[in-house]
Amino acid sequence: MDEIGMKGREIEFIPDRLIEEPVVFRGLTDTEVVLLISVGSVFWIPVCVLLLLPFGYALFGVAFGLGMAITTLLLVGKYLQNLKRRMPDGLHMVYLKKLLQSKVSFINFGYIETSQSWDIKRDKQIIKVNMVSED
């Protein structure tokens, strides 16, 4: 029983990453899954209801909209899974915010995207005062 973390029959538990949310589905946390299903439902249910309303199947539009929200979860979840694989924890949200800020002009998360240099030239000429030393 000389394994690391073992004391006889007891296992010495060293918690790691207690602050982080657990991964629930396809590398997504619970909050991300709920957000994707909510946004997908808010978008797809009205679209599907409006598309099927002229045919008299508006109620089927709700079911079809929920199916499309689940499909959105699967597709966007696959994309986020690949994106999170290349980045440290939480950095995928920074990447998505910077991407959204660069694509949509009225959204500003405060990220600086421009490369600039400062100029130290002055407008007026400076008159140097010659000091006489007391030596």
Side-chain angles (χ1 to χ4, degrees):
M1 290 283 172
D2 291 338
E3 295 180 37
I4 297 175
M6 300 292 288
K7 289 183 184 176
R9 293 181 54 102
E10 295 180 7
I11 298 173
E12 183 179 318
F13 178 66
I14 302 172
D16 187 25
R17 299 181 182 182
L18 282 179
I19 300 172
E20 295 183 25
E21 290 186 79
V23 174
V24 178
F25 176 74
R26 276 200 168 187
L28 301 176
T29 62
D30 185 43
T31 306
E32 293 168 341
V33 170
V34 169
L35 179 71
L36 286 175
I37 286 291
S38 301
V39 170
S41 298
V42 166
F43 176 76
W44 283 114
I45 290 176
V47 168
C48 293
V49 167
L50 289 175
L51 287 176
L52 295 176
L53 188 63
F55 303 110
Y57 296 113
L59 193 56
F60 288 115
V62 174
F64 195 67
L66 286 174
M68 290 300 291
I70 292 171
T71 305
T72 302
L73 171 69
L74 294 173
L75 294 176
V76 174
K78 180 72 174 170
Y79 172 75
L80 283 176
Q81 182 182 20
N82 291 334
L83 183 68
K84 289 170 88 173
R85 186 174 292 144
R86 296 182 284 127
M87 297 184 182
D89 294 334
L91 196 61
H92 66 286
M93 291 305 295
V94 174
Y95 172 77
L96 291 174
K97 285 179 181 178
K98 286 175 83 172
L99 184 69
L100 188 63
Q101 179 178 322
S102 68
K103 299 293 181 192
V104 182
S105 61
F106 59 87
I107 293 178
N108 186 9
F109 291 107
Y111 296 111
I112 300 172
E113 295 180 333
T114 56
S115 175
Q116 297 177 344
S117 60
W118 286 37
D119 189 14
I120 58 171
K121 294 180 183 175
R122 301 186 182 198
D123 295 348
K124 301 176 185 174
Q125 186 176 4
I126 297 176
I127 303 170
K128 294 183 179 179
V129 178
N130 291 329
M131 300 286 290
V132 179
S133 61
E134 295 180 10
D135 290 345

